Amino acid sequence: MPLQFDMPYEELLTYKGSSPIPDDFDEFWDNSLKELDEVDPDIAITPAPFSAPHADCYDLVFTGTGGSRVYAKLLRPKASEGLQPAYIDFHGYGAASQDWFDYLGWVGAGYTVAALDCRGQGGQSEDRGCVSGMTRMGHIVRGIDDEPENMLFRNIFLDTARLAQIVAGLPQINVERISVGGGSQGGALALACSALCPDLIYKTVSVFPFLSDYKRVWDMDQAVRAYEEIRNYFRCKDPLHENEDAFWNKLGYIDVQNLASRIRSRLLMVVGLMDTVCPPSTQFATYNKITADKRLLVYKDFTHEYLPRKNDKAFAFIHGSD
């Protein structure tokens, strides 16, 4: 194996993060979920322009926090009898849900599939949020100069929970077999959804998750590419780092490692030990705090990239009975 740029593997197995957790973290998320309960989702499900012989395809739109209309693809098996398992997919940072075609394998296996478009990113969801402060680039810092309720990722996390609730309420859904998954940002959102809906999510697949242990990223001098907005924030808003402690503390509300203890689903986490985009230690910070049944799939020679056989392993994990 090539020399790792992060801490030794033995230390990764026990590392539990360096970013702070706000004192009112649990209260914050409990109140956020109560706020979500008070939002009328105003669900609209209409036939999509795409079709397939074995799948009914729909455009699903709902109202999230702040009044934003949020979009997801919805695919269901044709002429299916009995209860169906469900799989909810989350996409990478700045992108959108995959092509309809990419989900047909799940439908062929009997799954209802929902795929979220994150608000304000590359898909069809809208972001109606109005925030103070810097919005020059990056969703991690969007809203950080306001109250934490205005942070964009707080609302995206809540969108994942609302989508899971909607899927659970569809006809013929086996509410005991709803699974979630994704890579990078999608891996983080799968963890957030599982944490915010612990009684709904059956299994979780998180592939090199983003949005974890922000201060560790900074201390490693890896605030580039996906995390570059953190560096830009300090350069533009706090060049002398006079408010650095408050900055890290507020990011703690949207740090998935701090949600880890809420997860009850069975988990598969996939990590590349050469990942310089989302360093392995930041991923292990979350993994090591999860107390639910979990397993790890380690790619020793891979970075933040296509991982051979990962999809096969993920499907076997979700579809299997063990």
Side-chain angles (χ1 to χ4, degrees):
M1 184 180 72
L3 181 67
Q4 292 174 228
F5 79 101
D6 205 336
M7 62 181 62
Y9 186 69
E10 292 74 19
E11 293 182 25
L12 291 174
L13 294 175
T14 59
Y15 175 71
K16 291 191 175 181
S18 57
S19 291
I21 181 171
D23 291 338
D24 64 342
F25 180 85
D26 287 322
E27 180 184 2
F28 171 82
W29 279 108
D30 289 343
N31 289 338
S32 294
L33 289 168
K34 290 177 183 177
E35 178 187 334
L36 183 66
D37 288 341
E38 296 173 358
V39 175
D40 179 1
D42 190 17
I43 302 164
I45 300 176
T46 56
F50 181 87
S51 63
H54 67 291
D56 292 322
C57 302
Y58 304 95
D59 294 321
L60 188 161
V61 182
F62 63 89
T63 298
T65 48
S68 293
R69 293 294 281 171
V70 180
Y71 173 85
K73 291 182 172 72
L74 177 66
L75 301 87
R76 308 207 66 183
K78 283 184 180 289
S80 176
E81 296 182 1
L83 297 179
Q84 305 164 7
Y87 172 69
I88 303 173
D89 188 68
F90 302 111
H91 64 75
Y93 195 27
S97 54
Q98 300 178 60
D99 291 346
W100 296 95
F101 176 85
D102 296 318
Y103 301 113
L104 293 180
W106 285 102
V107 181
Y111 284 74
T112 285
V113 179
L116 182 72
D117 278 4
C118 290
R119 59 170 76 190
Q121 296 190 17
Q124 298 187 48
S125 295
E126 65 179 11
D127 170 26
R128 293 187 182 179
C130 296
V131 298
S132 301
M134 183 172 134
T135 59
R136 174 173 172 256
M137 59 185 303
H139 286 186
I140 295 173
V141 299
R142 183 170 173 82
I144 199 169
D145 291 327
D146 284 343
E147 295 302 314
E149 288 80 7
N150 279 352
M151 297 179 72
L152 182 59
F153 267 116
R154 178 258 192 182
N155 295 303
I156 292 176
F157 287 3
L158 291 173
D159 289 341
T160 72
R162 177 45 52 88
L163 182 58
Q165 294 167 356
I166 291 171
V167 168
L170 293 173
Q172 291 184 265
I173 292 296
N174 183 347
V175 295
E176 295 182 356
R177 293 292 300 270
I178 299 174
S179 299
V180 294
S184 196
Q185 175 185 255
L189 297 185
L191 294 169
C193 183
S194 186
L196 297 178
C197 300
D199 297 328
L200 276 183
I201 305 305
Y202 169 56
K203 290 183 179 179
T204 302
V205 174
S206 179
V207 181
F208 39 57
F210 184 43
L211 306 176
S212 180
D213 205 5
Y214 300 107
K215 192 172 187 300
R216 171 66 177 169
V217 174
W218 179 262
D219 290 341
M220 291 180 68
D221 197 26
Q222 293 298 308
V224 294
R225 288 175 287 185
Y227 287 105
E228 184 178 5
E229 61 206 73
I230 294 175
R231 186 180 305 278
N232 286 330
Y233 181 87
F234 282 122
R235 288 175 61 85
C236 294
K237 297 288 290 186
D238 190 15
L240 300 180
H241 288 240
E242 295 170 310
N243 299 304
E244 180 176 347
D245 290 345
F247 176 83
W248 297 126
N249 189 71
K250 191 171 285 188
L251 281 186
Y253 290 109
I254 56 166
D255 190 329
V256 293
Q257 67 165 327
N258 294 336
L259 286 166
S261 63
R262 291 176 171 242
I263 293 173
R264 296 289 178 267
S265 74
R266 301 182 67 181
L267 170 78
L268 173 66
M269 185 176 286
V270 186
V271 179
L273 293 186
M274 304 302 293
D275 193 338
T276 58
V277 177
C278 297
S281 56
T282 69
Q283 300 175 50
F284 276 89
T286 296
Y287 183 81
N288 292 333
K289 290 181 177 178
I290 294 171
T291 59
D293 184 2
K294 61 187 179 181
R295 62 189 69 177
L296 193 62
L297 187 62
V298 175
Y299 284 78
K300 295 181 178 180
D301 310 312
F302 286 78
T303 181
H304 207 78
E305 59 181 311
Y306 169 74
L307 303 176
R309 304 181 187 174
K310 176 263 296 179
N311 289 337
D312 294 346
K313 295 287 188 181
F315 178 79
F317 171 73
I318 288 177
H319 193 61
S321 58
D322 63 335

